[in-house]
Amino acid sequence: MRADRPAARLLPTEAAVVRLRTAWERPAAPVGQRVARLDAADRAVLRAALPVLRALAVDLREEAGDS
């Protein structure tokens, strides 16, 4: 990239930061509430499955990016 080109740095307003945070947290809240209601055995099973679920999410994200 050439150094003599105009550049701009854009920063979100505080309101935008709040809106983005809310948008990211909203879908996770119901999941967290339901996980909290699971018994200890079910939470352990879910915890053990997390590495596989993360790998699946990465794979799906990469596949979506290839489209």
Side-chain angles (χ1 to χ4, degrees):
M1 182 158 77
R2 295 181 55 184
D4 59 348
R5 292 184 182 209
R9 182 175 178 188
L10 303 175
L11 298 173
T13 64
E14 285 185 40
V17 170
V18 169
R19 288 180 68 190
L20 288 169
R21 185 176 299 124
T22 300
W24 279 101
E25 291 172 351
R26 187 177 301 135
V31 174
Q33 292 166 358
R34 284 172 178 78
V35 169
R37 290 192 299 232
L38 295 174
D39 64 27
D42 285 342
R43 283 194 307 271
V45 169
L46 186 57
R47 192 174 304 112
L50 285 176
V52 174
L53 293 171
R54 284 187 186 112
L56 178 60
V58 168
D59 188 47
L60 290 169
R61 202 172 298 129
E62 289 172 355
E63 186 177 304
D66 292 340
S67 314

